Amino acid sequence: MRIFRRAADLTDHRLKLDNQGLSAGFVPTMGALHEGHISLVNAAKASSDFVIVSIFVNPTQFNNKEDLAKYPVTLEKDLIMLEAAGCDMVFVPSVEEIYPAGYQAPHYALGRLEQLLEGAYRPGHFQGVCQVVHRLLDITQPTHLYMGQKDLQQCMVIRRLLELTGIQTQLVILPTKREATGLAMSSRNMRLSEAERVHAQLLYQVLSDTLLQYKLGGDIDRLEADGAGRLQDAGFTVDYLKIADAETLEAPVAGHKAAVLVAAALGSVRLIDNVIEA
Ligand code: AMP
């Protein structure tokens, strides 16, 4: 496994492989890796000639500086996990490597996606996500890009980024890896206390119950209020619990797949999760 710190070195290497007709699967991450990330690496390995993973905590997507300062960093362990998973190239850039002097952030026309759900609670977040993914795609030039359904709205934003830029990379969205308790794996779970981790299981239970009740014809407003109420009673601060169209995240439409999405904090740890109709 080769580790690259400079963008130019990685691009040079990538172009050599491209000249040999080899495909590249790319998995962007912010590190503090867990089995969810590794499931993306495994999927990339299964369908690409080689796999590139980036580890970069992108400052421009954090609207809350405290959240950025507290983001877990476990580089040594991450590299061991990636080596064991058979990753070929790891990109660990500095902030200056991604945003060199003179970098001008484009504005990405994300439309409603930027106003709904996470967009409303994290102003500027999705512009930051687009900035970093756009830079990383330019540097790594992957055939396929692997992302997790755990961040459903982010997947939709990146699909839009690909449309807006005309970049030919294929987006592959993979299911959420969960603990045996149902808790979605997340780097942020490391910051939960043991007691909070037990409480956090309720997120998936509420999501699953809400989706089931919705499929049985329950009233949307009432289901959203009941689900949020259950979480609040258990000590969560709920930003939103929404039933939405799984493709657009707007109000659900009969005959389309629905999703239930949640963002809620336990103490200072904000968690997001979602489930989609089968
Ligand atoms: P992050 O390091 O949190 O920015 O996540 C990097 C990628 O891993 C994103 O595409 C996430 O959606 C994905 N990811 C995070 N958690 C999970 C999970 N539990 N299962 C599957 N993919 C995940």
Side-chain angles (χ1 to χ4, degrees), residues 33-154:
L33 301 184
H34 49 68
E35 285 306 314
H37 296 112
I38 299 303
S39 71
L40 304 188
V41 175
N42 291 340
K45 260 200 96 62
S47 50
S48 312
D49 293 316
F50 64 97
V51 177
I52 311 171
V53 174
S54 64
I55 298 178
F56 179 63
V57 183
N58 174 37
T60 72
Q61 73 187 68
F62 284 82
N63 49 313
N64 176 339
K65 293 288 161 244
E66 206 178 305
D67 192 26
L68 171 62
K70 282 191 194 153
Y71 202 84
V73 175
T74 60
L75 183 59
E76 221 169 294
K77 180 170 162 264
D78 293 349
L79 295 175
I80 292 170
M81 286 174 78
L82 290 176
E83 176 101 63
C87 170
D88 300 288
M89 297 158 70
V90 190
F91 184 38
V92 192
S94 62
V95 173
E96 293 70 32
E97 204 61 35
I98 296 295
Y99 304 115
Y103 169 80
Q104 297 271 341
H107 179 79
Y108 300 92
L110 301 176
R112 290 273 298 155
L113 272 180
E114 209 169 6
Q115 291 150 23
L116 296 164
L117 306 172
E118 287 300 284
Y121 283 90
R122 302 187 68 186
H125 169 65
F126 287 128
Q127 289 295 323
V129 168
C130 285
Q131 287 160 18
V132 71
V133 174
H134 193 176
R135 280 288 292 139
L136 290 168
L137 290 175
D138 279 349
I139 294 165
T140 58
Q141 303 189 20
T143 328
H144 289 88
L145 168 65
Y146 295 85
M147 303 195 91
Q149 183 204 306
K150 157 93 171 28
D151 299 279
L152 181 61
Q153 192 170 3
Q154 173 170 275

Side-chain angles (χ1 to χ4, degrees), residues 91-264:
F91 184 38
V92 192
S94 62
V95 173
E96 293 70 32
E97 204 61 35
I98 296 295
Y99 304 115
Y103 169 80
Q104 297 271 341
H107 179 79
Y108 300 92
L110 301 176
R112 290 273 298 155
L113 272 180
E114 209 169 6
Q115 291 150 23
L116 296 164
L117 306 172
E118 287 300 284
Y121 283 90
R122 302 187 68 186
H125 169 65
F126 287 128
Q127 289 295 323
V129 168
C130 285
Q131 287 160 18
V132 71
V133 174
H134 193 176
R135 280 288 292 139
L136 290 168
L137 290 175
D138 279 349
I139 294 165
T140 58
Q141 303 189 20
T143 328
H144 289 88
L145 168 65
Y146 295 85
M147 303 195 91
Q149 183 204 306
K150 157 93 171 28
D151 299 279
L152 181 61
Q153 192 170 3
Q154 173 170 275
C155 292
M156 292 173 184
V157 162
I158 297 306
R159 190 187 292 150
R160 177 97 185 109
L161 172 72
L162 295 174
E163 283 166 13
L164 287 170
T165 57
I167 292 173
Q168 291 301 305
T169 300
Q170 297 291 309
L171 174 64
V172 182
I173 301 173
L174 290 153
T176 303
K177 272 266 174 195
R178 298 182 179 281
E179 308 280 356
T181 61
L183 175 64
M185 291 183 184
S186 165
S187 306
R188 287 191 164 84
N189 294 351
M190 286 181 195
R191 290 178 42 215
L192 295 172
S193 68
E194 270 314 304
E196 286 171 336
R197 206 175 247 265
V198 174
H199 266 77
Q201 301 169 22
L202 188 64
L203 278 178
Y204 182 60
Q205 286 165 29
V206 169
L207 287 174
S208 306
D209 292 349
T210 306
L211 184 60
L212 179 65
Q213 293 301 324
Y214 170 73
K215 287 201 282 192
L216 293 173
D219 175 72
I220 294 174
D221 290 341
R222 211 207 67 221
L223 290 174
E224 290 176 349
D226 286 355
R230 272 176 77 190
L231 292 171
Q232 271 147 8
D233 290 348
F236 284 89
T237 306
V238 181
D239 280 352
Y240 58 82
L241 177 110
K242 273 287 195 200
I243 303 170
D245 181 290
E247 281 297 317
T248 64
L249 301 184
E250 300 280 0
V253 177
H256 289 200
K257 278 191 183 180
V260 188
L261 303 98
V262 70

Side-chain angles (χ1 to χ4, degrees), residues 4 7-19 139:
F4 294 84
D9 295 342
L10 176 59
T11 305
D12 275 357
H13 192 63
R14 166 65 185 123
L15 291 179
K16 278 187 202 131
L17 295 163
D18 196 40
N19 287 338
I139 294 165

